[in-house]
Each structure stands twice: as structure tokens, then as C-alpha cells.
Amino acid sequence: MVVLVIAAVVVVSLLIGFAFIKRGHEGVVSAGGNSSRHLPPLPVPQFIYYGSLACNGGVVIPGNSLIVLIYHVHGNVLINYVSIPIDVPLAVINYSLPGPSQPGMVMGMGVYLNGTLIATSIASPTTAIATIVNTTYPLGNKTVSFWQYARAANWSVIHTGFGAEFPPINATPGDVIAVAIYSSIPYILPSCNVSTEAEEIQLMVSNKWIGFIPHYPNATPTAMQLYIEGTYITEEPIIYIAIAQGLPRVISMNNLTIFMKNTAPDYIIARYMPRYW
């Protein structure tokens, strides 16, 4: 059974989902002209990140497209959480917000195991964006609209993203996880410029992007432990693209073409363990 999960419905749900996107991608729903994100102090759940990237590059994805990201499983992992950050240009927001005049899917993400859909985000980041755009903000000694604030701050994008939770799945060596994103509007994928999966795991280990999150003293597993054990998930550094008007039930490599090589978009694939303190 496909598990339907809500991503980016409101700001709070996104704060939980992206509580530990770090290394320059720390916030969840915020606005700005660069890729920095700032997360307010909140109680956060604990994770074991088996795969995670967070670089400062970016790839523009055209509207009316389905892109597919492929991940390879190394070792035995128990996962129940996937997230993909995105940046939405302010220039497209006016016509991207959901409304009666826009039937069908504006943006959606699907998670696939060995080609079969296992989870989808049934809501869109545009819902969270609508919340932000319709909120007023303090500027000096007055209150202004989002657009006035964004203009004064010279912002060009809103930082948001997709998140999916599903019943824990045992993924084993040789399994392939795919993430498909359909969007009728253009957006930006934060990404790393890498050419091999070996480069990715070196980044993950050296930056401690995998392992127990948060990195409390003596918390295990550490990034080095996962590396030594050969237990991690790497992303194929290729963005694929396909023709579709939404999310397919099955992903086949035969239906994909290469959109961009030597690029690995930011992501988290993890075991999520709800616990607050």
C-alpha cells in the first residue's frame, strides 16, 4: 500500500521534517537570495542519517518536468524518512500558489524502492509558500507585506522542500531507491558538484553528514563507523528527466534520459526516531 504523507503543509511541519538539514542548509521555510538557511531553536527528533548531502551549488529545473534521482544502498539499513530541499524563485510564486484556477498537481515527490512507489508527498511546498507570502513582517517601526519585506531585503528565492515519512523499510545491498519530483513550475535544486559516489561518501564522512544526528557526545553510529562498516546510501551523481504529468506508479530506467551529469542534489535518507526533549 502506498503510504501518503504530507510535506510542506505548514511551516511547523517543515521545521520538524528539516530540523537537521545543516552545513549551509539549516532552515526549512525561509526566504533569501542565497542558500543559507537559519533554523530557530526548537525541540528536535533524532535521526540516523545513512545518506546526506548539503552543498552550495544549485541546478535550475524547468517547469512541467519530472526529474528522478537514484540512490544505491550499501549495507543493511532501516529507513523511514526522505527529504529533498528546494529553492523556489520569487519570480514564479505569483502564478505557482495553489488555487481554484490550478487543478491537478503543482509540485509533488514520490519515493520508490526498486522501481515501486512506496510513499508520496500529497501536499506541495507551494502550500507553505502561500503561508509565508500571506504573513506580515516587521520592518523598522512598521509592519509590511512579504513582498515589501522581500524587496527591501533583496531576496530572490524561498527555501523550502519535500519530506516523506513511511513505515520502516529494511533496505539491503543492491536495492535502489529513487526519488521523483514533478513540478509544473521551475525551481532550484541545491546540489553538490561531484563526479562519483566515492566522492560523495568522502564528503559525508569528512563533514559528518551521516551518522547519529544530533551529534551528541558518545552518540553512535558516527560517520566514521558507518563508513568503516560499509553502511550508507549514496546518490548517483546524475539527474534524470522523464515525460509525465504527475508521479508514476512505477519508475523504469528505460524511460529516463540524462538531464545533467556530475551533479548530486542535496538530500537526506534516514531512520527517523520521534523523540523530543
Side-chain angles (χ1 to χ4, degrees), residues 70-93:
I70 302 297
Y71 304 88
H72 297 138
V73 178
H74 307 266
N76 296 300
V77 298
L78 183 68
I79 59 171
N80 62 354
Y81 180 81
V82 174
S83 70
I84 306 289
I86 66 169
D87 292 338
V88 179
L90 266 64
V92 307
I93 287 176

Side-chain angles (χ1 to χ4, degrees), residues 100-119:
S101 63
Q102 293 184 318
M105 181 182 293
V106 177
M107 302 184 81
M109 181 186 79
V111 180
Y112 301 76
L113 181 65
N114 297 325
T116 301
L117 184 66
I118 60 171

Side-chain angles (χ1 to χ4, degrees), residues 16-266:
I16 294 173
F18 284 88
F20 276 90
I21 296 180
K22 310 187 304 169
R23 301 84 56 179
H25 295 290
E26 293 170 347
V28 180
V29 179
S30 58
N34 55 47
S35 62
S36 64
R37 294 162 164 82
H38 303 285
L39 185 70
L42 289 174
V44 293
Q46 57 188 8
F47 295 81
I48 297 176
Y49 284 11
Y50 289 107
S52 173
L53 292 175
C55 299
N56 290 320
V59 177
V60 177
I61 305 298
N64 298 314
S65 66
L66 177 74
I67 62 110
V68 179
L69 313 174
I70 302 297
Y71 304 88
H72 297 138
V73 178
H74 307 266
N76 296 300
V77 298
L78 183 68
I79 59 171
N80 62 354
Y81 180 81
V82 174
S83 70
I84 306 289
I86 66 169
D87 292 338
V88 179
L90 266 64
V92 307
I93 287 176
N94 276 342
Y95 66 85
S96 69
L97 296 179
S101 63
Q102 293 184 318
M105 181 182 293
V106 177
M107 302 184 81
M109 181 186 79
V111 180
Y112 301 76
L113 181 65
N114 297 325
T116 301
L117 184 66
I118 60 171
T120 63
S121 59
I122 59 174
S124 165
T126 55
T127 308
I129 292 170
T131 302
I132 294 175
V133 168
N134 291 308
T135 300
T136 56
Y137 298 84
L139 182 62
N141 59 358
K142 60 182 179 180
T143 299
V144 299
S145 70
F146 167 80
W147 295 105
Q148 291 170 319
Y149 196 98
R151 191 177 301 110
N154 196 32
W155 286 342
S156 59
V157 301
I158 284 183
H159 309 300
T160 179
F162 295 96
E165 295 178 39
F166 42 89
I169 292 174
N170 286 302
T172 59
D175 284 343
V176 175
I177 299 167
V179 173
I181 298 175
Y182 172 78
S183 179
S184 63
I185 63 171
Y187 61 97
I188 299 167
L189 273 178
S191 60
C192 298
N193 182 15
V194 293
S195 58
T196 66
E197 293 176 51
E199 285 184 60
E200 288 179 26
I201 190 58
Q202 291 299 324
L203 285 174
M204 293 179 195
V205 174
S206 62
N207 290 287
K208 298 180 180 179
W209 292 348
I210 57 176
F212 189 92
I213 307 293
H215 295 293
Y216 289 126
N218 302 318
T220 58
T222 65
M224 185 57 69
Q225 284 174 324
L226 289 180
Y227 176 67
I228 292 173
E229 293 170 1
T231 305
Y232 46 81
I233 295 171
T234 54
E235 182 175 4
E236 188 174 333
I238 296 175
I239 299 175
Y240 294 92
I241 197 165
I243 298 174
Q245 293 299 313
L247 296 172
R249 305 288 297 184
V250 175
I251 289 287
S252 171
M253 295 300 295
N254 294 331
N255 299 326
L256 305 180
T257 57
I258 294 175
F259 176 71
M260 182 171 291
K261 293 182 177 180
N262 301 325
T263 300
D266 293 2

